[in-house]
Coordinates of all heavy atoms in Angstrom, one line a residue:
I6 N 15.4 -3.6 -8.6 CA 14.1 -3.2 -9.1 C 13.1 -4.3 -9.1 O 12.0 -4.1 -8.8 CB 14.4 -2.7 -10.6 CG1 15.4 -1.5 -10.6 CG2 13.1 -2.4 -11.3 CD1 14.8 -0.2 -10.2
S7 N 13.5 -5.5 -9.5 CA 12.6 -6.6 -9.5 C 12.0 -7.0 -8.1 O 10.9 -7.4 -8.0 CB 13.2 -7.9 -10.2 OG 14.2 -8.4 -9.4
V8 N 12.9 -6.8 -7.1 CA 12.5 -7.1 -5.7 C 11.4 -6.1 -5.3 O 10.4 -6.4 -4.7 CB 13.7 -7.1 -4.8 CG1 13.2 -7.3 -3.3 CG2 14.6 -8.3 -5.1
M9 N 11.7 -4.8 -5.6 CA 10.7 -3.8 -5.3 C 9.4 -4.0 -6.0 O 8.4 -3.8 -5.4 CB 11.3 -2.4 -5.7 CG 10.5 -1.3 -5.2 SD 10.4 -1.3 -3.4 CE 10.3 0.4 -3.1
R10 N 9.5 -4.4 -7.3 CA 8.2 -4.7 -8.0 C 7.5 -5.9 -7.3 O 6.2 -5.8 -7.2 CB 8.6 -5.1 -9.4 CG 7.3 -5.3 -10.3 CD 7.7 -5.7 -11.7 NE 8.8 -5.0 -12.3 CZ 9.9 -5.6 -12.8 NH1 10.0 -6.9 -12.8 NH2 10.8 -4.9 -13.3
E11 N 8.2 -6.9 -6.8 CA 7.5 -8.0 -6.1 C 6.8 -7.5 -4.9 O 5.7 -7.9 -4.6 CB 8.5 -9.1 -5.8 CG 8.9 -9.9 -7.0 CD 9.8 -11.0 -6.7 OE1 9.5 -11.7 -5.7 OE2 10.8 -11.2 -7.4
F12 N 7.5 -6.6 -4.1 CA 6.9 -6.1 -2.9 C 5.7 -5.2 -3.2 O 4.7 -5.3 -2.5 CB 8.0 -5.3 -2.1 CG 8.9 -6.2 -1.3 CD1 10.2 -6.2 -1.7 CD2 8.5 -6.9 -0.2 CE1 11.1 -7.0 -0.9 CE2 9.3 -7.7 0.5 CZ 10.7 -7.8 0.1
E74 N 4.8 -16.3 1.6 CA 5.4 -16.7 0.3 C 6.5 -15.7 -0.2 O 7.5 -16.1 -0.7 CB 4.4 -16.9 -0.8 CG 3.5 -18.1 -0.6 CD 2.4 -18.2 -1.6 OE1 2.3 -17.4 -2.5 OE2 1.5 -19.1 -1.4
L75 N 6.2 -14.5 -0.1 CA 7.1 -13.4 -0.4 C 8.4 -13.5 0.4 O 9.5 -13.4 -0.2 CB 6.5 -12.0 -0.3 CG 7.3 -10.8 -0.7 CD1 7.5 -10.8 -2.2 CD2 6.6 -9.6 -0.2
F76 N 8.2 -13.7 1.7 CA 9.4 -13.8 2.5 C 10.2 -15.0 2.2 O 11.4 -15.0 2.1 CB 8.9 -13.9 4.0 CG 10.0 -13.8 5.0 CD1 10.7 -12.6 5.3 CD2 10.5 -15.0 5.6 CE1 11.7 -12.6 6.2 CE2 11.5 -14.9 6.5 CZ 12.1 -13.7 6.8
N77 N 9.6 -16.2 2.0 CA 10.3 -17.4 1.7 C 10.9 -17.4 0.3 O 12.0 -18.0 0.1 CB 9.4 -18.6 1.8 CG 9.1 -19.0 3.2 OD1 9.8 -18.7 4.2 ND2 7.9 -19.6 3.5
E78 N 10.3 -16.8 -0.7 CA 10.8 -16.8 -2.0 C 11.7 -15.7 -2.4 O 12.5 -15.8 -3.3 CB 9.7 -16.8 -3.0 CG 8.8 -18.1 -2.9 CD 7.6 -18.0 -3.8 OE1 7.4 -17.0 -4.5 OE2 6.8 -19.0 -3.8
T79 N 11.7 -14.6 -1.6 CA 12.4 -13.4 -2.0 C 13.4 -13.0 -0.9 O 14.6 -12.8 -1.1 CB 11.5 -12.2 -2.3 OG1 10.6 -12.6 -3.3 CG2 12.3 -11.0 -2.7
V80 N 12.9 -12.8 0.3 CA 13.8 -12.3 1.4 C 14.8 -13.2 1.9 O 16.0 -12.9 2.0 CB 12.9 -11.8 2.6 CG1 13.7 -11.3 3.7 CG2 11.9 -10.7 2.1
I81 N 14.4 -14.5 2.1 CA 15.4 -15.5 2.6 C 16.5 -15.8 1.6 O 17.7 -15.8 2.0 CB 14.7 -16.7 3.1 CG1 13.9 -16.4 4.4 CG2 15.7 -17.9 3.4 CD1 13.1 -17.6 4.9
P82 N 16.2 -16.0 0.3 CA 17.3 -16.1 -0.6 C 18.2 -14.9 -0.8 O 19.4 -15.1 -1.0 CB 16.5 -16.4 -2.0 CG 15.2 -17.0 -1.6 CD 14.9 -16.3 -0.3
M83 N 17.6 -13.7 -0.6 CA 18.5 -12.5 -0.6 C 19.4 -12.5 0.6 O 20.6 -12.1 0.4 CB 17.6 -11.3 -0.7 CG 17.0 -11.0 -2.0 SD 16.0 -9.5 -2.0 CE 17.2 -8.3 -1.6
I84 N 18.9 -12.9 1.7 CA 19.8 -12.9 2.9 C 20.8 -13.9 2.8 O 22.0 -13.7 3.2 CB 18.9 -13.1 4.2 CG1 18.0 -11.9 4.4 CG2 19.7 -13.3 5.4 CD1 17.0 -12.0 5.5
S85 N 20.4 -15.1 2.4 CA 21.4 -16.2 2.3 C 22.4 -16.1 1.1 O 23.4 -16.8 1.0 CB 20.7 -17.6 2.2 OG 20.0 -17.7 1.0
G86 N 22.0 -15.2 0.1 CA 22.9 -15.0 -1.0 C 22.7 -16.0 -2.1 O 23.6 -16.2 -3.0
V87 N 21.6 -16.7 -2.1 CA 21.4 -17.7 -3.2 C 20.9 -17.0 -4.4 O 20.1 -16.2 -4.5 CB 20.3 -18.8 -2.7 CG1 20.0 -19.7 -3.8 CG2 20.9 -19.5 -1.5

Side-chain angles (χ1 to χ4, degrees):
I6 300 283
S7 66
V8 173
M9 187 61 148
R10 186 182 318 123
E11 287 182 44
F12 281 113
E74 288 176 8
L75 180 68
F76 187 77
N77 286 336
E78 295 174 1
T79 305
V80 176
I81 290 178
M83 285 180 59
I84 292 172
S85 66
V87 174

